[in-house]
């Protein structure tokens, strides 16, 4: 079986019940393993078996339900989707405008000029275009649902406004039916047209607000340029579409241009703004041999790079895909909401019928009219839209906010679960530390020629293949140390290296070298190196044939923001632990520098996993942050796994969250984002439920016996629209919120 996960745009949805209907239809299709339909961003997230699933058949089934699933690659590109959404929005705006234009005089006549000649016929003429033309989508949708014995928001709107309209037409054409019974033939054209106008207006405002929740995706898509400059084989430059770029193409990047795809610099240098991908405010220097990432912005220099990853394989494309999947996924709380939405419409129709019957029985002479209006009003006010939008809009905004801050969230469940975290376990190497050896300090023998010896050591280490040699050469290179010509270079296995300069033999190596050659060490160097060793530093010696000339301290430096990140987590009430395969001495030093009271050293990958299991057994909700293959087992065990940026593909694949940069302060930001998102979801669900709990009884006329209050159907339509807009607007607050680090 070959299963893949893919997101497809869906058109034609009007409410949460629509999403549920499509989801149920998808799950019944052959080859579909999992299906989730997101009403908030109009997408379907499908996991399907490519050997058994037929996308064309799946599309036909969705179309039969009254919707459409866009499966062709040429129709679901970001540009096509954006253009389609824009056209749909323009059409909705046009319908809404005309519905309001016709409804305003209709309402004025019904309130102030009911006795004018032919008033009923004028209102009939004004209401008909609104119901039959501008509101026809509701009736078409309701009919499509009725054919499949399902219901959605279209059902509520179509039944309520359709009955009000048809009842009014009957009364215009047959007034004697009521006058013969000494009753007034009321008409409710203003209710049928006004409700449709208000609902369309609400939909228009809702669409505008929902578009803002997905602004993160639009920003990410906008990072990639449409055109690039490619170097041809004859060294001439040509201007081509980004779609034509192939692996190994040479691309020229000029000042101010966006880098198109991932690759490696082969000529030139510059500083590149990577903030949109990594969150790092300072530009990064790029020179020959350095990697560049598509979507980042070149500052002032020019360079040529060789394309290594293009199209859907670039980091930016991967991020966009993961953000879209996360925004389309469902949080655990959404499963409960879906169940409620599934029975919501039938329950509401039942409540409306019950209201009508009770008014007929208990309402006296006007019972029929009041009952009819109660029936219409209950159907209008009770819409599952607010309920259906409560969770997904918050998830979309939260995932988008995370992407903007360099936090890539795998799915909605991870975003929701992270707020429960009570303990964060950090790997040491590459997570708390830089993950590479760096020169910390250099000590020279009294009277030594430091400038000359620096050149000798630099040149010796340039010829070495030892991992520590890179740290030493980088250090002296950054100081601008000039190289010298080393002759007779030789590697001494297990001890160091040697070479001849200006007639003198020099050695660079470890303590074994000192012992083997009986090298003398001055008191100053001896004291200094003992201090370094007590601090878990690695010492490299530079000597001649008899004396130690210099000592170099090398260590994996702790990240500058490590202490701050740990402090913020602790301030948030989260305990921090450290795990490492390194020695107890090194672990003690790093833990002390970072402010971590609890740690475990000399851990195997299995030890790390078992440690997390122990914490979970004690009731902790554990997040694990790591960057290496040896962390993947522990990451899989944790409740929330966090892969540090620039880590291994294995760690990133296992992790529920990926930090695009290696900035540790993104960990508390991610947890704070989860807390804020869950808080917004709870607020949304509270208001969606309260709205219906209060609104339906009011619409049914529960206050009429007390103070004679009856809710007008048009006001009910406005309230229904406002409920959806308020939920989406509340979710949008996440876009402008400042996360943990910003506030401390």
């Amino acid at each position: 079986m070959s299963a893949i996960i893919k997101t497809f745009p869906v058109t034609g949805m009007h409410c949460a019940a629509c999403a549920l209907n499509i989801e149920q239809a998808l799950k019944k299709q052959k080859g579909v393993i999992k299906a989730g339909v997101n009403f908030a961003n109009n997408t379907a997230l499908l996991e399907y078996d490519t050997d058994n699933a037929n996308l064309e058949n799946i599309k036909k089934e969705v179309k039969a339900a009254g919707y459409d699933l866009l499966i062709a690659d040429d129709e679901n590109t970001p540009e096509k989707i954006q253009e389609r959404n824009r056209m749909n929005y323009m059409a909705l705006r046009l319908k809404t405008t005309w519905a309001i234009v016709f409804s305003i005089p209709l309402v004025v006549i019904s309130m102030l000029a009911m006795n004018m000649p032919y008033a009923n016929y004028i209102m009939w003429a004004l209401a008909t275009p609104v119901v039959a033309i501008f509101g026809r989508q509701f009736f078409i949708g309701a009919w499509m649902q009725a054919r499949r014995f399902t219901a959605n928001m279209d059902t509520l709107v179509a039944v309520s406004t359709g009955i009000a309209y048809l009842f009014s037409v009957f009364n215009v054409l047959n007034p004697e039916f009521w006058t013969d019974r000494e009753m007034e033939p009321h008409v409710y054209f203003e209710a049928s047209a006004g409700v449709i106008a208000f609902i369309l207006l609400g939909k228009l405002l809702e669409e505008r607000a929902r578009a803002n929740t997905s602004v993160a995706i639009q920003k990410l898509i906008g990072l990639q340029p449409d055109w690039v400059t490619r170097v041809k084989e004859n060294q001439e430059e040509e201007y081509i579409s980004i779609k034509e770029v192939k692996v190994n193409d040479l691309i020229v990047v000029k000042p101010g241009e966006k880098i198109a795809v991932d690759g490696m610099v082969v000529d030139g240098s510059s500083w590149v703004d990577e903030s949109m991908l990594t969150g790092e405010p300072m530009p990064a220097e790029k020179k020959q041999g350095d990697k560049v990432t598509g979507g980042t912005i070149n500052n002032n220099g020019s360079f040529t790079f060789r394309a290594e990853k293009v199209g859907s394989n670039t980091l930016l494309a991967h991020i966009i895909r993961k953000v879209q999947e996360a925004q389309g996924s469902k949080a655990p709380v959404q499963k409960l909401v879906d169940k409620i939405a599934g029975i919501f419409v039938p329950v509401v129709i039942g409540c409306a019928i019950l209201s009508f019957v009770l008014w007929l029985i208990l309402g006296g002479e006007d019972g029929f009219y009041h009952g009819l209006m109660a029936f219409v009003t209950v159907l209008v006010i009770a819409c599952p839209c607010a309920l259906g939008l409560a969770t997904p809009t918050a998830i979309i905004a939260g995932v988008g906010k995370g992407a903007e801050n360099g936090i890539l969230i795998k799915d909605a469940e991870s975003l929701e679960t992270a707020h429960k975290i009570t303990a964060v376990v950090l790997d040491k190497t590459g997570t708390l530390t830089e993950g590479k050896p760096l020169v910390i300090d250099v000590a020279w023998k009294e009277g030594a020629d430091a400038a000359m010896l620096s050149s000798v050591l630099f040149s010796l280490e340039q010829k070495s293949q030892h991992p520590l040699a890179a740290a030493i050469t980088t250090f002296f290179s950054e100081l601008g140390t000039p190289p010298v010509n080393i002759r007779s270079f030789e590697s001494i296995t297990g001890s160091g290296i040697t070479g001849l300069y200006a007639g003198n033999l020099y050695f660079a190596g470890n303590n074994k070298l000192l012992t083997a050659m009986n090298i003398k060490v001055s008191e100053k160097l001896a004291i200094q190196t003992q201090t370094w060793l007590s601090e878990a530093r690695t010492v490299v010696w530079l000597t001649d044939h008899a004396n130690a000339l210099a000592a170099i301290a090398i260590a994996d430096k702790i990240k500058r923001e490590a202490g701050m990140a740990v402090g913020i987590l602790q301030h948030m009430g989260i305990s921090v632990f450290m795990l490492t395969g390194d020695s107890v001495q090194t672990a003690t030093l790093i833990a002390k520098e970072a402010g971590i009271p609890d740690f475990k050293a000399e851990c195997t990958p299995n030890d790390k996993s078992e440690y997390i299991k122990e914490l979970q057994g004690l009731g902790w909700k554990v997040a694990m942050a790591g960057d290496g293959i040896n962390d993947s087992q522990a990451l899989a065990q944790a409740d929330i796994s966090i892969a540090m940026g620039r880590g291994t593909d294995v760690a990133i694949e296992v992790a529920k969250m990926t930090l695009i940069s290696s900035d540790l302060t993104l960990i508390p930001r991610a947890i704070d984002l989860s807390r804020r998102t869950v808080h917004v979801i709870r607020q949304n669900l509270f208001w969606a439920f309260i709205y219906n709990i209060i609104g339906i009884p009011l619409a049914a006329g529960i206050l009429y016996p007390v103070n004679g209050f009856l809710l007008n159907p048009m006001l009910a339509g406005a309230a229904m629209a406002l409920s959806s807009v308020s939920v989406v607007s509340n979710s949008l607050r996440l876009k402008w919120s400042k996360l943990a680090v910003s506030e401390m």
Side-chain angles (χ1 to χ4, degrees), residues 197-225:
F198 271 120
I199 291 174
L200 287 173
L201 178 60
K203 281 287 170 191
L204 186 69
L205 297 174
E206 183 185 305
E207 286 298 322
R208 287 184 62 180
R210 279 165 59 184
N212 285 332
T213 62
S214 294
V215 71
I217 286 287
Q218 294 164 17
K219 281 184 180 178
L220 287 171
I221 292 171
L223 289 177
Q224 198 171 46

Side-chain angles (χ1 to χ4, degrees), residues 12 14 18 21 65-67 135-161 349:
H14 302 301
C18 295
N21 290 340
Y67 313 98
R136 67 191 296 265
Q137 68 188 62
F138 301 113
F139 296 93
I140 293 172
W143 170 243
M144 297 291 286
Q145 298 307 310
R147 286 171 55 191
R148 299 174 63 88
F149 301 101
T150 57
N152 63 3
M153 188 201 82
D154 291 341
T155 308
L156 299 180
V157 176
V159 171
S160 59
T161 58
I349 292 174

